[in-house]
Amino acid sequence: MKKESLEIAKIIVNPKNYRFDPVDTQDEAIDLMLIEKGKEIFNLAQHILEYGLDVAKSLRVLIQDNNYLLLDGNRRITAIKCLHDTTLIRDPLLKKKFDNLLKDFSGKLIQSVDSIVYDNEKEAARWIKIDHTGKNKGVGQDPWAAAGIDRFEQKFEGKTSPSIQLISFLEEKLGRKQIGRASCRERV
């Protein structure tokens, strides 16, 4: 396994993506992705144009016929490929949204992405499973509960959820700070 920066044009959206029933070609895979997740792919494309890609999350690929087959990162590359070529989008309304998004974009489209090139699919499988199948007895990503999301959004987005507002009100009125413990917040 090695890390490389790969050109978007050399990366193939996986026709055997585990999210869907297998298809035969990259074009069919992109089409299926857009049929099933078109709104999400558009939102992802919009986010990528605004912020770029998360540098902490490299793609996972396998060398295949002078190209690179995606093992993980199919949604991201589908979004980027649609930004590069909106003719890939068969849904006229979705295509128009992408065209309008690009009309307002003045930057440069992503041309290459950091990727981990694996020697075989089995080598990548352990990490893909951890990323896509939940907590895995503590090994995988542990999603935040509602209170963790509330605290994060309050700190970084200035949002105060109704539960935090209620707890703050009760703490102030009762003169206690223990109401705001995580377990209390989860019950609220």
Side-chain angles (χ1 to χ4, degrees):
M1 137 180 61
K2 60 186 172 184
K3 190 170 190 169
E4 289 184 36
S5 182
L6 304 177
E7 294 175 32
I8 297 298
K10 303 275 287 171
I11 300 171
I12 305 300
V13 174
N14 196 334
K16 308 225 179 328
N17 183 344
Y18 295 109
R19 290 182 189 278
F20 310 113
D21 289 335
V23 293
D24 295 322
T25 67
Q26 171 180 246
D27 287 345
E28 289 175 304
I30 290 172
D31 194 42
L32 184 57
M33 183 80 74
L34 293 172
I35 289 168
E36 296 287 327
K37 297 187 169 288
K39 184 177 181 183
E40 290 178 22
I41 298 299
F42 174 78
N43 291 341
L44 180 55
Q46 194 171 26
H47 189 272
I48 289 169
L49 285 182
E50 189 170 348
Y51 301 106
L53 289 169
D54 182 350
V55 296
K57 293 186 177 180
S58 296
L59 301 177
R60 293 183 176 108
V61 300
L62 197 60
I63 295 175
Q64 184 181 69
D65 303 326
N66 296 321
N67 288 308
Y68 297 89
L69 179 68
L70 272 169
L71 300 175
D72 189 30
N74 286 282
R75 291 182 330 111
R76 287 174 276 169
I77 293 302
T78 296
I80 293 169
K81 283 183 179 276
C82 288
L83 288 168
H84 279 266
D85 180 6
T86 61
T87 64
L88 293 170
I89 306 166
R90 293 199 298 170
D91 177 333
L93 295 174
L94 186 59
K95 182 183 181 310
K96 185 174 182 171
K97 286 177 76 172
F98 269 84
D99 287 335
N100 288 336
L101 182 62
L102 287 165
K103 188 171 40 173
D104 297 333
F105 181 65
S106 60
K108 187 176 181 219
L109 293 177
I110 292 173
Q111 300 298 316
S112 61
V113 293
D114 287 339
S115 305
I116 305 298
V117 181
Y118 287 88
D119 296 324
N120 60 68
E121 193 169 1
K122 189 172 183 179
E123 184 182 17
R126 129 180 359 116
W127 304 110
I128 293 169
K129 181 177 181 181
I130 287 172
D131 282 351
H132 289 278
T133 59
K135 290 172 67 169
N136 289 295
K137 300 179 185 175
V139 176
Q141 187 84 24
D142 187 4
W144 291 334
I149 294 168
D150 288 347
R151 284 189 289 274
F152 181 87
E153 288 180 346
Q154 184 178 23
K155 181 174 182 176
F156 292 103
E157 298 172 15
K159 296 179 182 177
T160 305
S161 71
S163 64
I164 287 181
Q165 290 175 29
L166 176 61
I167 289 168
S168 296
F169 173 79
L170 291 173
E171 286 176 342
E172 184 180 313
K173 293 297 177 192
L174 298 174
R176 294 181 174 160
K177 281 292 184 193
Q178 294 186 354
I179 295 171
R181 291 181 309 187
S183 59
C184 292
R185 287 178 192 226
E186 291 305 318
R187 287 194 295 265
V188 171

